[in-house]
Amino acid sequence: QVTLRESGPALVKPTQTLTLTCTVSGFSVSAHGMCVSWIRQPPGKAPEWLARIDWDDDKHYSTSLKTRLTISKDTSKNQVVLTVTNMDPVDTGTYYCARTTVGIPAYFDFWGQGTLVTVSS
Amino acid sequence: SYELTQPPSVSVSPGQTARITCSGDALPKKFAYWYQQKSGQAPVLVIYEDSKRPSGIPERFSGSSSGTMATLTISGAQLEDEADYYCYSTDNSGDHRVFGGGTKLTVL
C-alpha cells in the first residue's frame, strides 16, 4: 500500500526557510522509475507543482521558483525533503508530496494528505 | 508561461451527465490528467493519459481529448461526485507543468 506523509512546521515567519519532509511507504524512493514531487495549493486556489526528484537523483524545479527551492532525498529513511527559502505570506498554503509516474508529462498518482503552512509574523 | 483553461463551475442534476472541459495549446501533443478534490481532502487521480481510468475509479468517469481540448465526462453524476476538478498537463517544451484553474461541480 502506497502512502506518503508530509511533516514540517505549521507556521513560519517571513524571510525564514521552510523545510518539509515527505515520509514514504509502499515503495522505495531509490527504486528504478520512482519519483516524488512536491505540490502546493494556496487556500481556495489551484494546485501548483514545485519540484520533483527521481530515483537516480535527477531533480526538476518550477521555473518560477527554482531559485528558492531545493529537493533532496534520504534513501536510508525513504524520505524526500523540500526546502523553500525566503518565505513570504503569498507562500501560505497546503503543501503536498506525491508519487510521480513517468509520462508525457509525468503525473501524480498517489498524494499525501498535505500539511498546511502559514507564513506570518 | 502556460495556461490550462477550465470553466469555473458546472452544475447538473443527479443522474445527468456532467462534462468539464480543459483547453490548452499543447494538448494535441501532451496528455491531460484529471484530479478530483473534495473539500478538505487531497486531490485524487481520476483520469490519466487523456482517457485511462485508475483502479478503483468508477466507470462513470471517462476522459477524451481532441485538438486543444480535453474533456472529463461523468455519466450519471451522483451526489458524491460534488468536488473541484482540476486538469493537469504541460507545455510543448515540458518546462511548465501546470494545473487548470479548477471547475466546481455541483450535483443537485
Short mmCIF file of all heavy atoms in Angstrom, two decimals, chain A residues 39 41 44-49 52 60-63 96 102-109 111-114, chain B residues 29-33 35 37 40-45 48-49 86 88-90 95-97 99-102:
data_model
loop_
_atom_site.label_atom_id
_atom_site.label_comp_id
_atom_site.label_asym_id
_atom_site.label_seq_id
_atom_site.Cartn_x
_atom_site.Cartn_y
_atom_site.Cartn_z
N ILE A 39 3.97 19.59 -4.37
CA ILE A 39 2.93 20.43 -4.97
C ILE A 39 2.32 21.24 -3.85
O ILE A 39 2.13 20.72 -2.73
CB ILE A 39 1.85 19.54 -5.63
CG1 ILE A 39 2.47 18.65 -6.72
CG2 ILE A 39 0.71 20.39 -6.19
CD1 ILE A 39 1.83 17.30 -6.81
N GLN A 41 -0.80 24.25 -2.65
CA GLN A 41 -2.11 24.76 -3.02
C GLN A 41 -2.50 25.89 -2.08
O GLN A 41 -2.82 25.64 -0.91
CB GLN A 41 -3.16 23.64 -2.98
CG GLN A 41 -4.52 24.05 -3.50
CD GLN A 41 -5.47 22.87 -3.61
OE1 GLN A 41 -5.35 21.88 -2.89
NE2 GLN A 41 -6.43 22.97 -4.52
N GLY A 44 -8.12 28.04 -1.50
CA GLY A 44 -9.12 28.40 -2.50
C GLY A 44 -8.61 28.50 -3.92
O GLY A 44 -9.33 28.94 -4.82
N LYS A 45 -7.36 28.07 -4.13
CA LYS A 45 -6.79 28.17 -5.48
C LYS A 45 -6.36 26.80 -6.01
O LYS A 45 -6.44 25.80 -5.30
CB LYS A 45 -5.59 29.12 -5.46
CG LYS A 45 -5.97 30.55 -5.13
CD LYS A 45 -4.78 31.48 -5.28
CE LYS A 45 -5.18 32.92 -5.00
NZ LYS A 45 -4.03 33.86 -5.17
N ALA A 46 -5.89 26.78 -7.24
CA ALA A 46 -5.47 25.54 -7.88
C ALA A 46 -4.11 25.09 -7.35
O ALA A 46 -3.32 25.90 -6.88
CB ALA A 46 -5.39 25.73 -9.39
N PRO A 47 -3.83 23.80 -7.44
CA PRO A 47 -2.50 23.32 -7.07
C PRO A 47 -1.43 23.91 -8.00
O PRO A 47 -1.71 24.30 -9.14
CB PRO A 47 -2.61 21.80 -7.25
CG PRO A 47 -4.06 21.50 -7.22
CD PRO A 47 -4.73 22.69 -7.81
N GLU A 48 -0.20 23.92 -7.46
CA GLU A 48 0.95 24.41 -8.21
C GLU A 48 2.10 23.42 -8.01
O GLU A 48 2.51 23.18 -6.87
CB GLU A 48 1.36 25.80 -7.72
CG GLU A 48 2.62 26.34 -8.37
CD GLU A 48 3.07 27.67 -7.78
OE1 GLU A 48 2.68 27.97 -6.62
OE2 GLU A 48 3.81 28.40 -8.43
N TRP A 49 2.63 22.87 -9.10
CA TRP A 49 3.75 21.95 -8.99
C TRP A 49 5.02 22.72 -8.65
O TRP A 49 5.30 23.78 -9.21
CB TRP A 49 3.93 21.21 -10.32
CG TRP A 49 5.13 20.32 -10.33
CD1 TRP A 49 5.26 19.08 -9.78
CD2 TRP A 49 6.41 20.62 -10.92
NE1 TRP A 49 6.53 18.58 -10.00
CE2 TRP A 49 7.24 19.51 -10.67
CE3 TRP A 49 6.92 21.72 -11.60
CZ2 TRP A 49 8.57 19.47 -11.11
CZ3 TRP A 49 8.22 21.69 -12.04
CH2 TRP A 49 9.04 20.57 -11.79
N ARG A 52 10.47 18.00 -8.36
CA ARG A 52 10.43 16.55 -8.46
C ARG A 52 11.84 16.00 -8.33
O ARG A 52 12.78 16.59 -8.84
CB ARG A 52 9.85 16.12 -9.81
CG ARG A 52 9.68 14.63 -10.00
CD ARG A 52 9.18 14.33 -11.41
NE ARG A 52 10.24 13.83 -12.27
CZ ARG A 52 10.24 13.95 -13.60
NH1 ARG A 52 9.28 14.60 -14.21
NH2 ARG A 52 11.22 13.43 -14.31
N HIS A 60 14.13 18.30 -10.78
CA HIS A 60 13.41 19.20 -11.66
C HIS A 60 12.70 20.24 -10.80
O HIS A 60 12.14 19.90 -9.76
CB HIS A 60 12.37 18.44 -12.49
CG HIS A 60 12.91 17.22 -13.17
ND1 HIS A 60 13.31 17.21 -14.49
CD2 HIS A 60 13.15 15.97 -12.70
CE1 HIS A 60 13.74 16.00 -14.80
NE2 HIS A 60 13.66 15.23 -13.73
N TYR A 61 12.72 21.49 -11.26
CA TYR A 61 12.13 22.58 -10.46
C TYR A 61 11.20 23.44 -11.30
O TYR A 61 11.40 23.61 -12.51
CB TYR A 61 13.23 23.47 -9.88
CG TYR A 61 14.12 22.79 -8.87
CD1 TYR A 61 15.39 22.35 -9.21
CD2 TYR A 61 13.68 22.60 -7.56
CE1 TYR A 61 16.20 21.74 -8.29
CE2 TYR A 61 14.49 21.99 -6.62
CZ TYR A 61 15.75 21.55 -6.99
OH TYR A 61 16.55 20.93 -6.06
N SER A 62 10.20 24.01 -10.62
CA SER A 62 9.37 25.02 -11.24
C SER A 62 10.26 26.17 -11.70
O SER A 62 11.07 26.67 -10.94
CB SER A 62 8.34 25.52 -10.23
OG SER A 62 7.78 26.74 -10.65
N THR A 63 10.05 26.60 -12.96
CA THR A 63 10.91 27.68 -13.48
C THR A 63 10.73 28.97 -12.69
O THR A 63 11.68 29.74 -12.53
CB THR A 63 10.63 27.92 -14.97
OG1 THR A 63 9.23 28.17 -15.13
CG2 THR A 63 11.02 26.72 -15.80
N TYR A 96 1.80 19.45 -0.49
CA TYR A 96 1.62 18.00 -0.68
C TYR A 96 2.88 17.39 -1.28
O TYR A 96 3.53 18.02 -2.13
CB TYR A 96 0.48 17.71 -1.65
CG TYR A 96 -0.90 18.17 -1.26
CD1 TYR A 96 -1.41 19.39 -1.70
CD2 TYR A 96 -1.73 17.36 -0.48
CE1 TYR A 96 -2.70 19.78 -1.39
CE2 TYR A 96 -3.01 17.75 -0.16
CZ TYR A 96 -3.49 18.96 -0.61
OH TYR A 96 -4.77 19.35 -0.28
N VAL A 102 6.37 8.42 -14.44
CA VAL A 102 6.87 8.96 -15.70
C VAL A 102 5.79 8.89 -16.76
O VAL A 102 5.10 7.88 -16.91
CB VAL A 102 8.12 8.18 -16.15
CG1 VAL A 102 8.56 8.64 -17.53
CG2 VAL A 102 9.25 8.37 -15.15
N GLY A 103 5.59 10.00 -17.46
CA GLY A 103 4.58 10.08 -18.51
C GLY A 103 4.85 11.28 -19.38
O GLY A 103 5.91 11.89 -19.31
N ILE A 104 3.87 11.64 -20.19
CA ILE A 104 4.01 12.78 -21.09
C ILE A 104 2.89 13.76 -20.80
O ILE A 104 1.93 13.86 -21.55
CB ILE A 104 4.00 12.34 -22.57
CG1 ILE A 104 5.01 11.21 -22.81
CG2 ILE A 104 4.30 13.52 -23.49
CD1 ILE A 104 4.93 10.61 -24.19
N PRO A 105 2.94 14.52 -19.70
CA PRO A 105 4.06 14.61 -18.76
C PRO A 105 3.97 13.60 -17.63
O PRO A 105 2.97 12.88 -17.52
CB PRO A 105 3.88 16.03 -18.22
CG PRO A 105 2.39 16.20 -18.20
CD PRO A 105 1.87 15.47 -19.41
N ALA A 106 4.98 13.61 -16.77
CA ALA A 106 4.93 12.82 -15.54
C ALA A 106 3.76 13.31 -14.70
O ALA A 106 3.43 14.50 -14.69
CB ALA A 106 6.25 12.98 -14.77
N TYR A 107 3.12 12.38 -13.99
CA TYR A 107 1.90 12.75 -13.27
C TYR A 107 1.91 12.13 -11.89
O TYR A 107 2.71 11.27 -11.57
CB TYR A 107 0.67 12.32 -14.07
CG TYR A 107 0.53 10.82 -14.27
CD1 TYR A 107 -0.31 10.06 -13.46
CD2 TYR A 107 1.25 10.17 -15.26
CE1 TYR A 107 -0.43 8.70 -13.65
CE2 TYR A 107 1.13 8.80 -15.45
CZ TYR A 107 0.28 8.08 -14.65
OH TYR A 107 0.16 6.72 -14.83
N PHE A 108 0.96 12.58 -11.07
CA PHE A 108 0.94 12.28 -9.65
C PHE A 108 -0.16 11.28 -9.36
O PHE A 108 -1.33 11.61 -9.46
CB PHE A 108 0.73 13.57 -8.86
CG PHE A 108 1.43 14.75 -9.51
CD1 PHE A 108 0.69 15.74 -10.11
CD2 PHE A 108 2.81 14.83 -9.54
CE1 PHE A 108 1.31 16.80 -10.74
CE2 PHE A 108 3.45 15.88 -10.17
CZ PHE A 108 2.70 16.88 -10.77
N ASP A 109 0.22 10.05 -9.01
CA ASP A 109 -0.81 9.02 -8.83
C ASP A 109 -1.18 8.76 -7.38
O ASP A 109 -2.27 8.25 -7.11
CB ASP A 109 -0.42 7.71 -9.56
CG ASP A 109 0.94 7.20 -9.17
OD1 ASP A 109 1.62 7.83 -8.33
OD2 ASP A 109 1.34 6.15 -9.73
N TRP A 111 -1.06 10.79 -3.49
CA TRP A 111 -0.76 12.02 -2.78
C TRP A 111 -0.77 11.78 -1.27
O TRP A 111 -1.53 10.95 -0.78
CB TRP A 111 -1.81 13.10 -3.09
CG TRP A 111 -1.91 13.54 -4.52
CD1 TRP A 111 -2.13 12.76 -5.62
CD2 TRP A 111 -1.83 14.88 -4.98
NE1 TRP A 111 -2.19 13.54 -6.75
CE2 TRP A 111 -2.02 14.85 -6.39
CE3 TRP A 111 -1.65 16.12 -4.38
CZ2 TRP A 111 -2.00 16.00 -7.19
CZ3 TRP A 111 -1.64 17.27 -5.16
CH2 TRP A 111 -1.81 17.20 -6.55
N GLY A 112 0.03 12.57 -0.55
CA GLY A 112 -0.11 12.62 0.89
C GLY A 112 -1.33 13.44 1.26
O GLY A 112 -2.00 14.02 0.39
N GLN A 113 -1.62 13.52 2.53
CA GLN A 113 -2.80 14.27 2.99
C GLN A 113 -2.54 15.77 3.03
O GLN A 113 -3.49 16.56 3.14
CB GLN A 113 -3.27 13.77 4.37
CG GLN A 113 -2.56 14.40 5.55
CD GLN A 113 -1.20 13.78 5.84
OE1 GLN A 113 -0.70 12.95 5.09
NE2 GLN A 113 -0.61 14.16 6.96
N GLY A 114 -1.27 16.16 2.91
CA GLY A 114 -0.92 17.57 2.89
C GLY A 114 -0.66 18.14 4.27
O GLY A 114 -1.14 17.63 5.29
N LYS B 29 -0.36 17.43 -28.28
CA LYS B 29 0.86 16.62 -28.16
C LYS B 29 1.12 16.12 -26.76
O LYS B 29 2.01 15.27 -26.56
CB LYS B 29 2.06 17.43 -28.64
CG LYS B 29 2.05 17.73 -30.12
CD LYS B 29 3.35 18.40 -30.56
CE LYS B 29 3.37 18.62 -32.07
NZ LYS B 29 4.65 19.25 -32.52
N LYS B 30 0.42 16.63 -25.78
CA LYS B 30 0.62 16.24 -24.38
C LYS B 30 -0.66 15.66 -23.80
O LYS B 30 -1.75 16.14 -24.11
CB LYS B 30 1.05 17.45 -23.54
CG LYS B 30 2.32 18.14 -24.02
CD LYS B 30 3.53 17.25 -23.88
CE LYS B 30 4.80 18.01 -24.28
NZ LYS B 30 6.01 17.15 -24.21
N PHE B 31 -0.49 14.66 -22.96
CA PHE B 31 -1.66 14.08 -22.31
C PHE B 31 -2.26 15.02 -21.28
O PHE B 31 -1.58 15.87 -20.72
CB PHE B 31 -1.27 12.79 -21.59
CG PHE B 31 -0.99 11.63 -22.49
CD1 PHE B 31 0.22 10.95 -22.41
CD2 PHE B 31 -1.94 11.18 -23.40
CE1 PHE B 31 0.49 9.86 -23.23
CE2 PHE B 31 -1.69 10.09 -24.22
CZ PHE B 31 -0.48 9.44 -24.13
N ALA B 32 -3.55 14.85 -21.06
CA ALA B 32 -4.25 15.53 -19.97
C ALA B 32 -4.54 14.54 -18.86
O ALA B 32 -4.79 13.35 -19.11
CB ALA B 32 -5.55 16.14 -20.48
N TYR B 33 -4.47 15.03 -17.64
CA TYR B 33 -4.77 14.25 -16.44
C TYR B 33 -5.83 15.00 -15.66
O TYR B 33 -5.85 16.23 -15.67
CB TYR B 33 -3.51 14.05 -15.60
CG TYR B 33 -2.40 13.36 -16.34
CD1 TYR B 33 -1.57 14.08 -17.20
CD2 TYR B 33 -2.19 11.99 -16.23
CE1 TYR B 33 -0.57 13.45 -17.93
CE2 TYR B 33 -1.18 11.35 -16.93
CZ TYR B 33 -0.39 12.09 -17.79
OH TYR B 33 0.60 11.46 -18.51
N TYR B 35 -7.92 15.43 -11.87
CA TYR B 35 -7.92 15.18 -10.44
C TYR B 35 -9.23 15.66 -9.84
O TYR B 35 -9.73 16.72 -10.20
CB TYR B 35 -6.75 15.90 -9.77
CG TYR B 35 -5.41 15.32 -10.16
CD1 TYR B 35 -4.72 15.81 -11.27
CD2 TYR B 35 -4.85 14.27 -9.45
CE1 TYR B 35 -3.51 15.26 -11.66
CE2 TYR B 35 -3.64 13.70 -9.83
CZ TYR B 35 -2.99 14.20 -10.93
OH TYR B 35 -1.79 13.65 -11.30
N GLN B 37 -10.94 16.74 -6.24
CA GLN B 37 -10.60 17.16 -4.88
C GLN B 37 -11.87 17.52 -4.12
O GLN B 37 -12.52 18.52 -4.41
CB GLN B 37 -9.63 18.34 -4.88
CG GLN B 37 -9.13 18.70 -3.49
CD GLN B 37 -8.10 19.80 -3.50
OE1 GLN B 37 -8.15 20.71 -4.31
NE2 GLN B 37 -7.14 19.73 -2.57
N GLY B 40 -11.48 19.72 1.79
CA GLY B 40 -10.59 19.34 2.88
C GLY B 40 -9.75 18.12 2.63
O GLY B 40 -9.06 17.64 3.55
N GLN B 41 -9.78 17.60 1.41
CA GLN B 41 -9.02 16.39 1.10
C GLN B 41 -7.97 16.65 0.03
O GLN B 41 -8.00 17.66 -0.65
CB GLN B 41 -9.98 15.28 0.64
CG GLN B 41 -11.01 14.88 1.67
CD GLN B 41 -11.88 13.74 1.19
OE1 GLN B 41 -11.55 13.00 0.27
NE2 GLN B 41 -13.04 13.57 1.85
N ALA B 42 -7.04 15.70 -0.09
CA ALA B 42 -6.03 15.78 -1.14
C ALA B 42 -6.65 15.41 -2.48
O ALA B 42 -7.64 14.68 -2.54
CB ALA B 42 -4.88 14.84 -0.82
N PRO B 43 -6.08 15.90 -3.57
CA PRO B 43 -6.57 15.50 -4.89
C PRO B 43 -6.40 14.00 -5.12
O PRO B 43 -5.49 13.38 -4.59
CB PRO B 43 -5.68 16.31 -5.84
CG PRO B 43 -5.24 17.49 -5.04
CD PRO B 43 -5.07 16.96 -3.65
N VAL B 44 -7.31 13.47 -5.94
CA VAL B 44 -7.28 12.07 -6.32
C VAL B 44 -7.29 11.98 -7.85
O VAL B 44 -8.10 12.64 -8.50
CB VAL B 44 -8.50 11.31 -5.75
CG1 VAL B 44 -8.58 9.90 -6.31
CG2 VAL B 44 -8.46 11.29 -4.23
N LEU B 45 -6.40 11.17 -8.41
CA LEU B 45 -6.34 10.99 -9.85
C LEU B 45 -7.55 10.18 -10.31
O LEU B 45 -7.78 9.07 -9.83
CB LEU B 45 -5.05 10.24 -10.21
CG LEU B 45 -4.79 9.95 -11.68
CD1 LEU B 45 -4.51 11.25 -12.44
CD2 LEU B 45 -3.62 8.98 -11.84
N TYR B 48 -6.02 9.39 -16.32
CA TYR B 48 -4.67 9.67 -16.73
C TYR B 48 -4.50 9.37 -18.22
O TYR B 48 -5.28 8.62 -18.81
CB TYR B 48 -3.65 8.88 -15.89
CG TYR B 48 -3.67 7.37 -16.08
CD1 TYR B 48 -2.69 6.74 -16.84
CD2 TYR B 48 -4.63 6.57 -15.44
CE1 TYR B 48 -2.69 5.37 -16.99
CE2 TYR B 48 -4.63 5.20 -15.60
CZ TYR B 48 -3.65 4.60 -16.37
OH TYR B 48 -3.64 3.23 -16.52
N GLU B 49 -3.53 10.00 -18.82
CA GLU B 49 -3.25 9.85 -20.26
C GLU B 49 -4.52 10.01 -21.09
O GLU B 49 -4.87 9.13 -21.89
CB GLU B 49 -2.54 8.52 -20.52
CG GLU B 49 -1.16 8.48 -19.91
CD GLU B 49 -0.41 7.18 -20.18
OE1 GLU B 49 -1.00 6.25 -20.77
OE2 GLU B 49 0.78 7.09 -19.81
N TYR B 86 -9.64 19.34 -11.37
CA TYR B 86 -8.51 20.05 -11.98
C TYR B 86 -7.92 19.21 -13.11
O TYR B 86 -7.68 18.01 -12.93
CB TYR B 86 -7.41 20.31 -10.96
CG TYR B 86 -7.82 21.21 -9.83
CD1 TYR B 86 -8.25 20.70 -8.61
CD2 TYR B 86 -7.74 22.60 -9.97
CE1 TYR B 86 -8.62 21.53 -7.57
CE2 TYR B 86 -8.10 23.45 -8.93
CZ TYR B 86 -8.53 22.90 -7.74
OH TYR B 86 -8.90 23.74 -6.71
N TYR B 88 -4.53 18.72 -15.60
CA TYR B 88 -3.09 18.91 -15.42
C TYR B 88 -2.38 18.48 -16.71
O TYR B 88 -2.74 17.48 -17.32
CB TYR B 88 -2.58 18.08 -14.25
CG TYR B 88 -1.07 17.93 -14.20
CD1 TYR B 88 -0.28 18.97 -13.72
CD2 TYR B 88 -0.44 16.78 -14.65
CE1 TYR B 88 1.11 18.84 -13.70
CE2 TYR B 88 0.93 16.65 -14.64
CZ TYR B 88 1.70 17.69 -14.16
OH TYR B 88 3.06 17.57 -14.14
N SER B 89 -1.41 19.26 -17.11
CA SER B 89 -0.59 18.88 -18.25
C SER B 89 0.64 19.79 -18.30
O SER B 89 0.95 20.47 -17.32
CB SER B 89 -1.41 18.97 -19.56
OG SER B 89 -0.69 18.41 -20.64
N THR B 90 1.29 19.82 -19.44
CA THR B 90 2.49 20.62 -19.58
C THR B 90 2.52 21.29 -20.94
O THR B 90 1.78 20.89 -21.84
CB THR B 90 3.73 19.73 -19.40
OG1 THR B 90 4.92 20.53 -19.46
CG2 THR B 90 3.82 18.71 -20.52
N ASP B 95 8.68 22.33 -19.89
CA ASP B 95 9.23 23.14 -18.81
C ASP B 95 8.17 23.65 -17.84
O ASP B 95 8.48 23.94 -16.69
CB ASP B 95 9.98 24.34 -19.38
CG ASP B 95 11.28 23.93 -20.07
OD1 ASP B 95 11.80 22.83 -19.76
OD2 ASP B 95 11.76 24.70 -20.91
N HIS B 96 6.95 23.80 -18.31
CA HIS B 96 5.89 24.37 -17.47
C HIS B 96 4.81 23.33 -17.23
O HIS B 96 4.01 23.02 -18.12
CB HIS B 96 5.29 25.61 -18.15
CG HIS B 96 6.26 26.74 -18.30
ND1 HIS B 96 6.98 26.94 -19.45
CD2 HIS B 96 6.65 27.71 -17.44
CE1 HIS B 96 7.76 27.99 -19.29
NE2 HIS B 96 7.59 28.48 -18.08
N ARG B 97 4.82 22.79 -16.02
CA ARG B 97 3.83 21.78 -15.61
C ARG B 97 2.74 22.51 -14.84
O ARG B 97 3.03 23.11 -13.80
CB ARG B 97 4.50 20.73 -14.74
CG ARG B 97 5.68 20.04 -15.43
CD ARG B 97 6.54 19.33 -14.41
NE ARG B 97 7.65 18.58 -14.97
CZ ARG B 97 8.83 19.10 -15.28
NH1 ARG B 97 9.06 20.38 -15.08
NH2 ARG B 97 9.80 18.33 -15.77
N PHE B 99 -1.54 23.09 -13.57
CA PHE B 99 -2.91 22.68 -13.33
C PHE B 99 -3.84 23.75 -13.89
O PHE B 99 -3.50 24.93 -13.89
CB PHE B 99 -3.19 22.53 -11.83
CG PHE B 99 -2.51 21.35 -11.19
CD1 PHE B 99 -1.20 21.45 -10.74
CD2 PHE B 99 -3.17 20.15 -11.04
CE1 PHE B 99 -0.56 20.38 -10.15
CE2 PHE B 99 -2.55 19.06 -10.45
CZ PHE B 99 -1.24 19.18 -10.01
N GLY B 100 -4.99 23.31 -14.37
CA GLY B 100 -6.02 24.27 -14.72
C GLY B 100 -6.54 24.97 -13.48
O GLY B 100 -6.23 24.58 -12.34
N GLY B 101 -7.35 26.00 -13.69
CA GLY B 101 -7.86 26.78 -12.58
C GLY B 101 -8.90 26.07 -11.73
O GLY B 101 -9.24 26.53 -10.64
N GLY B 102 -9.40 24.95 -12.24
CA GLY B 102 -10.35 24.17 -11.46
C GLY B 102 -11.80 24.46 -11.84
O GLY B 102 -12.15 25.58 -12.21
#
